[in-house]
Every structure is written in C-alpha cells, then in structure tokens.
C-alpha cells in the first residue's frame, strides 16, 4: 500500500539554502531524537542502543527527503510509506498512536527551529520563510496521517488474526483435539485456560450478542451447521449463566474440564436434537441417558413391551401407564391409584393382567428392562 506525500508545485527553497540545511542534517536529527526522548515518556528508553541508531538514521532520511521535496526534487512517496510502516511498528512495540503523535509534534517543533535557524543565514527571504514553515508543518501532518493509517491497519490486522486464533481454538475444543494440539492452539490465541468450560448451544444470530454479555474469556463460533452457534463459557456460575440466557433460545451443557469441552458440547447438541424445551441439560439427565443410542432404546422398548401387542391398543396403553407407575412407586398400590386417578381395585385388576402377560415380572432383569422401556413419558 502506497502513502505518497503531496508533491510541491512551487519549490520553497533554492539550492543554496538546501545545501546549507543538508550540511546540518545530522545535528538536526540528533536534536529531534533527543527532544523526543526528553519530552515523550514512552520513548525514554526506546531510542537507545541499536534502536536509537536506526531511528536517528530514519529521521535523517526523512529530513533529507523533506529537503528534496521542498526544493521540488521528490514526490514524497517513500517518506509516506516509511511513515506508514513506522505506525505499524509502533503497534508491534506496544506503543499507542498518542505517543507517536506526541513524538511527531515534538519533532516538528524542533526540526522547524533547527531548519529555520539554518535557512535564514543562508539568505532565505521573509516570504520564503513563511512558505517554508507552511510546507514543513504540512509535511509533518501528512507523515502523521500515514503513520496513523499504518497504526490502525496493524491493530485491525492483529485483531483479525487474534480472532482467527480464538476461533481455531474453539474448533479444536469442539473436535476433542489432543492436549498437545489444544495447548498449541492456546498459545497461538494468547488465551488463559480456565478450570472448566460450559458449552451453550443457541441460534447463530444470538451467539455474538450473547457473547458480549459474558465473561471476556468466552469462546464463540456462529457458523455451525443448522444455523447454530456455540459459546464456551469459562468457570461459569451456572445459576447466573442461566439467568443471563433467560431471554435466549439456549441449551446449556454441563461444566467440564477445559480440555474436555467437547463433552459439554456433545450433551448440549443431543439435548437440542431431542427438544426445543430443554434449557439446562442437568435437569434432563434421564432423557439424555435414554437418547444416547436411539436405535438401542427403540429395540429395548420393542422387545421388553412385546407382550402388550397381544391386547387391543387402548388396553395396551392403559396397561403400560399402570406398569410405569407401578415400577416407579415400587408396587405401592395406593400411590399408583392416586397418580392414575383410579380406584386401588382397578390397579389390582390391571396388575393381574400384567402378571399374566409378563410371567417373570418379579425378575430383577425384567424389572430393569421394563423400567428403562416405560421410564419416560416421551419415549
């Protein structure tokens, strides 16, 4: 990307003045750098040693280019590009744009004082001094603008890069990557691993808005299949998290050690596939257990309840309801009658029918299979 400085249409300096000023460039550059060190705290230790030599050389080059520009012999392209790269470098060195702009202001003042002090004895007329001053400060303004553009672009690039690393980490976590892979992703992302992560599955359109209200260490992806997004919330206070998500269509998985976040995500995804009414997976563990292998559960029901196919459908429905209540209440007839709103004698009659259909009803293995088969009304 090019950041040219505007070309001077009418030279502000004659060759005699330029020659005189160029002879003092080293001294001028040294004074500019020293003033910046003295007056701009972030540069107090940044311009010493090898870095100081490099910066002094860069200042001399910029001043020399400026003299070429002032005499009408340069376009300013190189200076603008250098200022742009300087702005990018300030981000890498951890300094703000405010610090760089302060350095430019100090440098402009000192450079003008030194240049003016050399230009007047060289015979620059009063009108030329005014034109020279205007050009000097316009040049510094354009260098500042180029540096500001570089600084902003580098910040944006770093922000995008950081965002990509965080997304890559989230994908590794959801995929259940190995600890070594996860640690490498963590280092690239500059992310501090928590003790636990809780997966929250929600519509993709809600992912980013919800993310902005949660812990800043939360990881987010909003491009999952079926227009879904996921949040991985660190060390969540579960009741508080559920309250924060109360107005959203969210399914909250269980907390898991951060390297096992995929387990939390898998449970939230299974809960989402079961019902749109599930919010807290911890409240629906039986349904989730029985849905872990849907085909196996269907086969279990078909086999365990096969004797009911010998009676009419309406009768089979009543007997299954009675069997379920009897198993859950451990055979307490009055409790079964109260739950079903029938007379205890009705319960006794139905249980007689069931014992005929299931001769081994007292067998522990049969009780286990039937409990699983009828244990959920939604099954």
């Amino acid at each position: 990307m090019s950041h040219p400085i505007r070309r001077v249409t009418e030279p502000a300096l004659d060759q005699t003045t330029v020659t005189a000023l160029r002879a003092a460039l080293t001294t001028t550059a040294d004074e500019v750098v020293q003033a910046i060190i003295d007056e701009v705290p972030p540069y107090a230790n940044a311009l010493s040693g090898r870095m100081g030599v490099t910066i002094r050389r860069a200042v001399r080059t910029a001043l020399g280019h400026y003299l070429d520009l002032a005499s009408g012999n340069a376009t300013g392209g190189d200076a603008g590009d250098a200022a742009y790269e300087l702005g990018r470098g300030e981000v890498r060195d951890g300094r703000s744009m405010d610090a760089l702009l302060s350095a430019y202001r100090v440098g402009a003042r000192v450079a003008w004082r030194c240049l003016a002090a050399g230009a007047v004895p060289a015979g620059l007329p009063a009108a030329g001094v005014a034109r020279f001053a205007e050009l000097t400060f316009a040049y510094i303004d354009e260098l500042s603008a180029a540096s500001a553009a570089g600084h902003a672009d580098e910040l944006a690039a770093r922000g995008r890069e950081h965002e990509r690393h965080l997304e890559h980490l989230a994908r590794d976590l959801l995929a259940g990557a190995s600890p070594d892979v996860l640690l490498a992703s963590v280092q690239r992302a500059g992310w501090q691993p928590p003790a636990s992560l809780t997966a929250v599955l929600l519509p993709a359109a809600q992912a980013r808005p919800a993310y902005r209200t949660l812990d800043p260490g939360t990881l987010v992806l909003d491009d999952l299949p079926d227009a879904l997004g996921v949040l991985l919330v660190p060390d969540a206070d579960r009741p508080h998290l559920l309250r924060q998500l109360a107005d959203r269509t969210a399914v909250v998985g269980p907390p898991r050690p951060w390297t096992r976040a995929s387990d939390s995500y898998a449970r939230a995804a299974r809960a989402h596939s079961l019902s749109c009414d599930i919010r807290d997976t911890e409240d629906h563990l039986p349904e989730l257990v029985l849905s872990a292998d849907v085909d196996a559960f269907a086969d279990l029901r078909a086999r365990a309840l096969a004797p009911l196919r010998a009676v009419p459908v309406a009768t089979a429905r009543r007997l299954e309801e009675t069997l379920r209540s009897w198993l859950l209440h451990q055979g307490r007839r009055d409790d079964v009658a109260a739950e079903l709103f029938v007379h205890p004698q009705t319960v006794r009659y139905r249980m007689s029918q069931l014992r005929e259909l299931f001769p081994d009803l007292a067998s522990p293995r049969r009780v286990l299979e039937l409990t699983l088969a009828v244990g959920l009304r939604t099954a």
Side-chain angles (χ1 to χ4, degrees):
M1 181 179 294
S2 179
H3 295 269
I5 303 299
R6 286 175 295 178
R7 185 182 182 91
V8 177
T9 54
E10 295 182 10
L13 301 177
D14 57 35
Q15 194 57 49
T16 300
T17 303
V18 169
T19 300
L21 295 179
R22 201 177 294 281
L25 269 185
T26 298
T27 300
T28 300
D30 288 344
E31 289 193 30
V32 167
V33 171
Q34 190 59 50
I36 292 172
I37 293 173
D38 292 342
E39 298 182 37
V40 187
Y43 292 93
N45 298 314
L47 303 183
S48 60
R50 181 177 300 177
M51 179 60 69
V53 172
T54 301
I55 294 297
R56 284 176 173 80
R57 185 182 301 119
V59 172
R60 285 198 299 272
T61 300
L63 289 172
H65 195 279
Y66 166 65
L67 292 179
D68 290 340
L69 191 68
S71 61
N73 295 322
T75 63
D78 292 343
D81 292 345
Y84 177 84
E85 291 302 322
L86 176 60
R88 293 185 61 199
E90 291 297 277
V91 174
R92 293 191 286 269
D93 290 337
R95 283 186 289 274
S96 70
M97 193 59 212
D98 287 342
L100 183 56
L101 291 177
S102 294
Y104 269 122
R105 285 192 293 271
V106 171
R109 188 188 72 240
V110 174
W112 166 244
R113 186 184 67 229
C114 294
L115 292 172
V120 173
L124 187 67
V129 171
R131 169 70 176 141
F132 186 30
E134 179 184 355
L135 179 61
T136 299
F137 288 101
Y139 179 73
I140 296 297
D141 283 347
E142 294 197 34
L143 289 181
S144 299
S147 288
H151 197 277
D153 287 352
E154 182 68 16
L155 282 177
R158 287 191 166 222
R160 289 191 297 272
E161 182 181 24
H162 182 58
E163 187 72 19
R164 284 195 298 272
H165 286 320
L166 289 174
E167 289 184 1
H168 190 275
L169 170 60
R171 295 186 197 284
D172 283 344
L173 286 165
L174 295 188
S178 69
D180 288 345
V181 171
L182 291 178
L183 287 174
S185 290
V186 163
Q187 290 179 343
R188 284 193 298 270
W191 183 73
Q192 182 61 45
S196 70
L197 284 173
T198 297
V200 177
L201 199 64
L202 69 177
Q206 297 183 23
R208 294 284 171 179
Y211 162 73
R212 287 192 286 270
T213 69
L214 300 176
D215 185 291
T218 298
L219 300 174
V220 57
L221 289 174
D222 59 4
D223 59 354
L224 300 183
D226 300 321
L228 292 174
V230 66
L231 306 171
L232 297 176
V233 185
D235 296 330
D237 177 335
R238 195 172 192 84
H240 180 62
L241 176 61
L242 289 165
R243 288 194 298 272
Q244 286 180 296
L245 298 169
D247 296 331
R248 304 191 184 279
T249 310
V251 181
V252 182
R256 288 292 181 264
W258 74 272
T259 56
R260 291 176 48 210
S262 58
D263 294 345
S264 181
Y265 169 66
R267 184 173 296 177
R270 192 181 318 127
H272 178 269
S273 69
L274 285 179
S275 169
C276 61
D277 296 327
I278 295 179
R279 291 184 55 78
D280 186 353
T281 57
E282 298 295 275
D283 292 339
H284 297 270
L285 293 179
E287 292 93 332
L288 292 167
V289 168
L290 295 180
S291 67
D293 186 334
V294 176
D295 288 341
F297 180 60
D299 290 344
L300 172 66
R301 271 186 59 84
R303 186 181 70 185
L305 301 179
L308 292 179
R309 291 200 290 269
V311 299
V313 173
T315 302
R317 186 178 301 114
R318 287 194 298 271
L319 290 178
E320 181 178 341
E321 183 181 44
T322 302
L323 177 60
R324 176 184 181 278
S325 184
W326 183 82
L327 289 167
L328 294 180
H329 290 291
Q330 299 180 10
R332 294 188 295 272
R333 189 190 307 168
D334 291 343
D335 291 341
V336 175
E339 181 182 22
L340 300 181
F341 301 102
V342 298
H343 195 277
Q345 284 296 94
T346 302
V347 175
R348 182 176 180 179
Y349 170 70
R350 291 181 185 177
M351 288 307 304
S352 296
Q353 290 180 284
L354 286 166
R355 287 189 177 94
E356 290 180 8
L357 294 169
F358 299 92
D360 58 348
L361 190 55
S363 163
R365 181 71 182 181
R366 173 62 76 178
V367 168
L368 173 61
E369 289 190 356
L370 289 172
T371 299
L372 292 174
V374 301
L376 296 175
R377 295 183 187 278
T378 57

